Amino acid sequence: MGIISAIKGWWNNMFKSEIKDKFQVTGITSGSMQDAIQKWMNIYNGEPEWLDPENGIRTINFAGFICEEIARLATLAIDVNFDGRRAKYMKDFWDTCVKDHIREWTESMCAFGTVILKPNGMGVDLITPDQMEITAIDGNRKISGIVFQDDYQSGEDYYTKLEYHRFLSARVKMPEAEKYTDTMYYVVSNRAFISKNAGELGKEIELKYTKWSSLQPDVHIAKKNGGKINSMLFGMFRMPSVNRIDRRSPLGMSAFSKALEELRDLDIAYSRNAEEIEDSSKMVLLDERVVQLPAQKDEKGNVIRRKLNLPKYVRTINGENSDYYHEILPQLNTEIRKAGINQQLSIIGVKCGFSNGYFVIDEKTGMVTATQVESDDRRTIQLIKDVRDAMQAGLDDLFYAQAVFADLYNLEPAGEYKTQYDFGDITYNEEEDRMRNLQLANSGYIPKWQYLVRFEGYSEVEAKAAVAEASGDDEKGLFDEE
């Protein structure tokens, strides 16, 4: 772990050095924040600093389970729809480039505190904190300058790209008037490097010699109507809790950052319990003469003394009494250890924002599971609401960025759009919801085609056609329970 941390620290220093050299800007992320991010990443990846195989300390990676559970609840039945002239284009972008990845991105946000979602022309890139360096923030602590790092290997060569995003004001002469005006551009600068060694930038090369050959070294972006770009051209998923490590940083804190000590204690408690179980098999001690077969001679006349094949729990000793027999039956402290593990799970859950008792060891299976979310689990519900609000803010910026690129590259005729978010209820029961909607459809409170779309997998066109065909007597047979 020490070597990995040292390599990461060396890379971060080199990253900052190259940013300063190539773009004349300095990263503002503090060393303590970088160390914390690296620690969270190691824990999430199953490599916590307290891992000690030689002394039997392993990890169950409960931190990863916490992030997975938050992401599962936050993205439950999520969908996004759009109104306006550009509704179809934005809906296609959501369906093809975002929807299938939203749970993964949310889990990464929970693990690392912050991730960035950046349109790339064919989809969306997920950028984790170790792949970026913030260079400037505005008065609201929002990012106004940032450098992204991307890399790949081809043969024996390693390629790296630094991509610098920022706003830049410039005086531009207006063609329709003989005067200059101040225009705010969104500027993207790309620089490529090649090296024979992984983990170092090497020498700068032209973009045309890399897989990024379609990119320009410097691009100045402004709206076609001369309007100002309202935000950075990416979305940011940031955990909503306060950054206690660096209050000036726009980066968020990991979902499990407040429970590191308890996660360590949980791993130790689990490891000791597992070790005790592994060592709990009974042992039988016998005098070796009891299991010894009569002596035989081989072809050369050598005396061979053989023993019976014994179960692995039987051990032989050279005792004074040939009738010696002794059983050792270790006693397990299962209930005591389970109580200790459940205590750690309870503290971890509360510190991570869940309701008390959300995580327990199941009495029947012994597996760590989550209890059903009930309506009175206010802490859990508030946690998920806060995470969803953070997701929505990040998605708003991602959609805006895609709309700007659609204007810039004529991907879609210009037009406005309005976003509508639909998040599933975390206390949701699908079968109850199905029956309630069926009753509403039969009672005429909602269109019958709407029920078919939501619960039977019909498209809107197919559902309306089916309802029209089943009109009259057939319509009653389709929905009524008679």
Side-chain angles (χ1 to χ4, degrees):
M1 296 301 298
I3 294 177
I4 294 176
S5 298
I7 292 175
K8 281 292 185 179
W10 173 78
W11 168 253
N12 288 332
N13 290 334
M14 183 188 67
F15 190 16
K16 285 190 173 186
S17 176
E18 291 295 338
I19 288 172
K20 187 173 184 179
D21 179 50
K22 300 301 177 183
F23 303 122
Q24 288 74 55
V25 291
T26 303
I28 63 173
T29 303
S30 66
S32 57
M33 191 66 202
Q34 289 178 341
D35 291 343
I37 291 170
Q38 188 57 52
K39 181 183 292 186
W40 302 334
M41 297 185 81
N42 290 341
I43 293 172
Y44 176 75
N45 291 329
E47 300 175 348
E49 58 188 6
W50 56 81
L51 202 64
D52 188 1
E54 292 184 2
N55 291 311
I57 306 302
R58 59 186 102 176
T59 180
I60 61 173
N61 198 358
F62 196 73
F65 180 78
I66 289 170
C67 298
E68 180 182 351
E69 181 67 4
I70 295 175
R72 183 186 70 83
L73 294 174
T75 60
L76 186 67
I78 185 175
D79 199 11
V80 180
N81 290 289
F82 299 86
D83 290 327
R85 185 175 179 182
R86 192 169 269 179
K88 184 179 184 305
Y89 174 79
M90 299 305 295
K91 179 63 174 177
D92 288 344
F93 174 67
W94 159 258
D95 287 337
T96 59
C97 300
V98 180
K99 186 175 182 178
D100 290 343
H101 306 285
I102 194 70
R103 181 167 172 176
E104 171 196 346
W105 296 342
T106 304
E107 183 173 332
S108 296
M109 170 189 68
C110 295
F112 313 139
T114 309
V115 293
I116 282 180
L117 313 176
K118 183 169 68 69
N120 60 19
M122 297 177 292
V124 179
D125 289 331
L126 173 69
I127 301 171
T128 53
D130 60 326
Q131 298 173 304
M132 60 189 180
E133 182 60 48
I134 300 170
T135 61
I137 56 176
D138 62 19
N140 294 319
R141 286 194 303 141
K142 291 187 175 181
I143 297 173
S144 58
I146 191 169
V147 179
F148 300 115
Q149 176 259 325
D150 191 12
D151 56 63
Y152 71 96
Q153 181 181 358
S154 179
E156 297 181 353
D157 296 323
Y158 297 87
Y159 295 86
T160 303
K161 175 171 65 74
L162 300 183
E163 183 177 313
Y164 180 26
H165 290 230
R166 75 278 193 194
F167 289 104
L168 180 65
S169 179
R171 293 189 64 80
V172 180
K173 187 175 182 180
M174 304 299 293
E176 67 276 7
E178 293 297 321
K179 63 179 182 179
Y180 289 85
T181 184
D182 290 331
T183 299
M184 183 67 71
Y185 287 102
Y186 188 92
V187 184
V188 179
S189 297
N190 294 289
R191 302 291 184 267
F193 304 84
I194 186 172
S195 173
K196 292 295 183 182
N197 302 311
E200 68 177 40
L201 288 178
K203 65 178 182 179
E204 186 172 351
I205 61 171
E206 295 183 45
L207 290 164
K208 64 182 180 181
Y209 299 119
T210 73
K211 75 172 187 179
W212 305 297
S213 57
S214 62
L215 301 178
Q216 297 296 319
D218 296 284
V219 179
H220 292 68
I221 302 173
K223 287 188 175 181
K224 291 185 176 180
N225 60 5
K228 179 183 176 182
I229 301 294
N230 295 329
S231 67
M232 302 294 284
L233 296 184
F234 52 78
M236 183 171 77
F237 276 13
R238 177 193 184 277
M239 283 297 286
S241 58
V242 173
N243 188 329
R244 298 185 178 185
I245 297 173
D246 186 351
R247 293 185 180 274
R248 297 173 299 175
S249 174
L251 298 175
M253 300 279 287
S254 170
F256 53 80
S257 61
K258 299 176 184 176
L260 300 186
E261 191 70 22
E262 289 77 13
L263 287 169
R264 171 185 174 275
D265 293 343
L266 175 64
D267 277 344
I268 292 174
Y270 166 80
S271 298
R272 294 293 180 245
N273 186 59
E275 186 177 49
E276 182 179 290
I277 293 174
E278 290 174 0
D279 295 338
S280 64
S281 61
K282 75 173 183 177
M283 182 181 296
V284 174
L285 301 179
L286 293 175
D287 188 278
E288 62 181 6
R289 288 168 289 186
V290 175
V291 297
Q292 204 168 62
L293 295 173
Q296 293 181 344
K297 292 184 178 181
D298 61 16
E299 296 176 353
K300 297 181 180 180
N302 298 320
V303 177
I304 301 174
R305 296 188 181 278
R306 296 180 301 145
K307 292 183 179 181
L308 291 171
N309 292 325
L310 301 172
K312 62 181 180 180
Y313 60 84
V314 177
R315 301 288 187 271
T316 59
I317 62 172
N318 185 10
E320 297 180 358
N321 185 354
S322 62
D323 295 330
Y324 182 81
Y325 176 93
H326 180 66
E327 283 191 5
I328 301 175
L329 299 173
Q331 297 297 315
L332 292 177
N333 296 313
T334 304
E335 292 302 319
I336 296 175
R337 292 192 181 278
K338 188 173 69 174
I341 290 174
N342 273 334
Q343 182 183 37
Q344 294 300 324
L345 290 174
S346 179
I347 297 173
I348 290 170
V350 171
K351 280 198 166 186
C352 294
F354 289 90
S355 299
N356 187 35
Y358 187 88
F359 297 112
V360 296
I361 296 179
D362 187 84
E363 294 292 340
K364 294 182 179 180
T365 66
M367 299 296 290
V368 177
T369 59
T371 59
Q372 182 180 358
V373 182
E374 302 292 349
S375 60
D376 60 346
D377 281 341
R378 298 301 179 190
R379 282 180 57 84
T380 302
I381 293 172
Q382 186 62 51
L383 167 66
I384 301 307
K385 180 185 181 303
D386 291 344
V387 170
R388 286 176 171 178
D389 289 345
M391 292 166 54
Q392 184 169 327
L395 288 173
D396 283 342
D397 289 341
L398 174 63
F399 295 144
Y400 175 79
Q402 184 65 23
V404 170
F405 286 126
D407 289 339
L408 183 66
Y409 297 108
N410 296 315
L411 303 177
E412 175 77 5
E416 297 300 319
Y417 67 90
K418 184 177 180 181
T419 313
Q420 298 176 341
Y421 292 92
D422 181 15
F423 291 99
D425 185 353
I426 64 174
T427 63
Y428 176 74
N429 183 300
E430 183 175 4
E431 191 57 33
E432 291 179 1
D433 197 21
R434 176 192 293 270
M435 296 306 299
R436 182 168 60 87
N437 275 265
L438 180 60
Q439 292 174 357
L440 291 173
N442 283 327
S443 301
Y445 291 106
I446 64 172
K448 295 178 179 179
W449 64 263
Q450 192 176 93
Y451 168 85
L452 294 177
V453 169
R454 184 168 183 182
F455 294 100
E456 303 298 340
Y458 285 66
S459 69
E460 183 174 331
V461 173
E462 293 170 339
K464 289 181 177 178
V467 171
E469 184 178 352
S471 60
D473 293 338
D474 290 338
E475 183 178 359
K476 180 178 181 181
L478 177 64
F479 285 93
D480 289 354
E481 299 178 355
E482 297 181 359

